[in-house]
Amino acid sequence: MPESLPLLPTSVIGSYAWPSWLHTALAAAQRGEYGPADMKETQDDAVDMALRDQEDAGVDIVSDGEMRRVGFFTAEFYGHMTGLRELPPQRKVGIVGHDQRESYEVVAPITAPNGLGLLEEYRYARSRTARPLKMPCPGPYTLAGRLKPGTVYKDRMQVAYALAKIINDELKALAAAGANFIQIDEPSYAVHATSPRDFVDLFNATIYGVNAKIGIHLCFGNFVGRPVAKRTYRPLFPDILDVHADQFALEFANRELAELELWQEFPSDKELAAGLVDVKNYYCETPEDVAERIRVALKYVKPEKLSVTPDCGFSQTARWAARAKLRAMVEGTKIVRRELEAV
Ligand SMILES: [Zn+2]
């Protein structure tokens, strides 16, 4: 990462709120009204918008907003893979929830002959902003969660290792193209926290030989703003600290800052990107709210090891709220930076 970053760098987790026109454009595309060139133009514009909102707010390390990823990791990523057969959702009516998402059965060894699309994402975003850029990528265990092993693989972990190889190739290509900060999103570790040692081995295989700063994002689920877990990181500690990642991006705002003390209880050289803005809450934090949360985090984490982020991506947040929250995050961070400089 460039040395020019300020103390307490601000960043995002990855996804950004869709503008209204992207919803209507995708609905039109689903009805067959868009050609590939129309779609590319629309998604390029959406990335420009996401970058612009982050730059306007003053975010230090930006992302492309995952504007090309329809549904975080589902359609986009599985669409790049062969060997999968789509299964209908278990529940189709009623309140929108995780159990309404599609899943797949593995019918042949999984491959991704043309990669996962991250290189294209990176190249476009890199050409559209001068700011440091973070590239998020869903991790293999989380991706494997929607894949039934069928008769091809023994269990979810074996599916995950097949995906880890595909992701590893993609990440190496990404780093070779210039991406210097890659974040692996593995919310499923925090959901199925029973075997952290297995997660560590899988994670380290996934990023093996990737020449970039590596982050790991663990949260408790955010689809339609709903978690899917007990919302505690404790069972993962201390084993999870053996992942070969430089930074942990964890959610705290939505849990009233619970478990920041883990950082003191299990000292390590890892950075913490602390989620201090609640992406699920329509209450928009003030800069002073954010400053207050940063001060609490600083009781457990050294300032040079702390970054400030929202809890998770903004894909499930209204855009006006996402903009307000980003601004408050940046302004609140500036308040604490001034306090630290005054000491
Ligand atoms: Zn998340």
Side-chain angles (χ1 to χ4, degrees), residues 298-313:
L298 285 172
K299 291 182 187 165
Y300 306 100
V301 188
K302 292 192 190 87
E304 58 274 18
K305 292 286 183 186
L306 184 66
S307 295
V308 181
T309 65
D311 276 346
C312 192

Side-chain angles (χ1 to χ4, degrees), residues 273-292:
L276 299 178
V277 168
D278 188 348
V279 300
K280 296 171 184 172
N281 195 339
Y282 262 61
Y283 169 73
C284 289
E285 290 86 350
T286 64
E288 188 46 50
D289 288 332
V290 176
E292 214 173 277

